[in-house]
Amino acid sequence: MNRKNDDTMVDVAIIGAGFAGLCAARELERRGLRVQVLEARDRVGGRSRPGTLNGVTIDTGGQWVGVGHERLERLAREAGTTLVPQYGEGRKVLQVMGVTRTYSGLIPPVSPRALVEMQLALWSLRHLQRKVDPARPWDSPVAHLDAETLSTWERRWLRSPGSRAIFDIGVRAVFCARPGQLSMLHFLSYIAANRNFDYLVSAEGGAQAATVQGGMHQLTTWLAAQLRTPVLLEAPVQRIVQSDSGVTVSHGKGELRARRVIVAMAPSMARRIGGDPAHTARDKLGERMPMGSVIKCLVAYERPFWREQGLSGEFVSDSAPFSPVFDHSPADGSCGILVGFFDGPEALRWSGNPDGRRRAVIESLVAAFGPEAANPVDYIDHDWIADPWSEGCYVGLPAPGALTELGRALRAPHGRVHFAGTEAAEAWTGYIEGALQSGEYAAQEVALALQAER
C-alpha cells in the first residue's frame, strides 16, 4: 500500500472515541504511528457524557472512580483535575418490603436470618470467584456455571425475602439487569475482575469512591486534544474489508485505508459493522451480549436539605422505581444535587416517557427524604436505552452459554482487526478503568503486529 501523498492512509484506524479508543490512539501515536479515530457521535466520550444542571457541569454518563482505578487516577492528574470523595456523611435510607428505615455503616437493617444468609452467600461467592480467571473464564473449573443464571444460585442460597431483596437491589444497581438475565459464570468473572461483590456496591473503599472535579467527560475531551490527528466525528463506520496488505474502512464521511483496525466498541454495537468481520464468532457474541438497561437522572435543589436531617443522600429500594440514589452536590455549596438511576426492568418501563419518569423520580425522592424533595430547581436525565450509539449501559451482558461458546472472541483479533472496550478488559471489566486497560492492551498488540510486518 503506497502511503505517499495519501491523506486517507493511516497505520491504524480506531473505531470509537470513548476511553478505550482514545487511550489506544494516544499509546500508538507515542510509538510514532499515524492514527485516525472515527466516532459516530457528534462528541467524544462514548458512555461518558456531559451535561449542565442548575449551572453546574455534571455527568449524565459514567462518573465514578473506584479505589484501585490507577490508570483513571493518573489520567485525571495528567488532565489537571482532582478527585472528589463521594459524599457519605450521615445515615443511609433503605426501603425494603414496604418499610423505610435509616441506618449507618455497611450492614442494612434486615432480619437476623437475612443477614446470616447474606453473609453465607457472600462467602460462597468469594469461594467461587477464586476459581475463575477473568481473562479466561471459559477455561475455569466452574465453567459449567455458564449454563445457569444468577437467579438459580440465588434461590439456593437466599431463602428469606429480605436477603433476596437486598441482593437483587445490588445486582440491578451493578448490572442494570435482573439476576435471571445473567450467566452465573459471567457474574463470577465480573466480580473477580473487580475484587468482589462488596466492592461493586460500595462507595467508601469501593467502586463509587470518588468523582472527577469538573466532570468525567472532560478527561476524554482532554485525551482527544492530545492527539496529533483530530477525531473524525459524525462518521459512523458501516463496513470493514480486509486484504493481504491492509484494511479499508467505509464510514459516514468517506473511506479510510489502514494497516490495522481497532474496534473500540461494545460487542453489541460492533456487530452493526458489515464487511469482513461480519458473521465471525465475535459478531455472534455481540448478538448474545445485550447492554444493560439504565436511565440516569440528576435533580437539583436550592441546598442539600437531606444533610440537615443527618442523611447522606444515599437511598436504595426494592420497590421505588428510582434507585439507587447518591449525593452529588458541588463542594462550593451552591446547590444540592441528587443523582440516581432507573435500572433493569424499571428503566425499560420508563424509557420513552420523560414526563412520567420525572414524576416518578420526585415521588421516589419524597418517599426517601420527605416533602422538601418535591420542589427541585432543575432536572436532567439521559435515557441510555434510547441512545442510538449505546442502546443501553453500563456494560454488555453475555447471556447464559455465550461465554463458554464464544467468549474467546472478546479479545482475539480477527485478521487485521483488533478489539478494545471495557467488555474486553481482563481487569476492572465494566468500568472506565477497564476501558483504559483494554485500550493499552490493544495498542500494544497492534504495535507488535505492525512491527512484525516490517
Side-chain angles (χ1 to χ4, degrees), residues 10 17 65 95 138-139 161 186 198 200 220 225-226 273 287 291 313 355 373 379 382 423 452:
V10 296
V65 183
Q95 188 180 80
W138 42 85
D139 289 335
H186 174 251
D198 288 348
L200 289 170
T220 52
Q226 307 307 302
I273 300 172
E287 295 176 3
M291 302 297 290
D355 292 336
Y379 172 93
H382 187 67
E423 288 85 1

Side-chain angles (χ1 to χ4, degrees), residues 126-166:
R126 292 202 181 203
H127 173 71
L128 288 171
Q129 77 175 65
R130 285 195 290 269
K131 299 182 178 183
V132 178
D133 177 0
R136 303 180 62 82
W138 42 85
D139 289 335
S140 75
V142 293
H144 62 278
L145 293 177
D146 198 30
E148 296 185 10
T149 66
L150 178 58
S151 63
T152 302
W153 174 90
E154 181 185 28
R155 287 193 299 271
R156 188 181 305 128
W157 283 89
L158 301 174
R159 302 295 181 88
S160 67
S163 63
R164 286 198 301 272
I166 294 294

Side-chain angles (χ1 to χ4, degrees), residues 16 22 94 127 256 289 349 384 413 418:
L22 294 173
L94 173 71
H127 173 71
L256 180 69
M289 199 170 177
R349 175 187 175 192
W384 283 96
H418 304 254

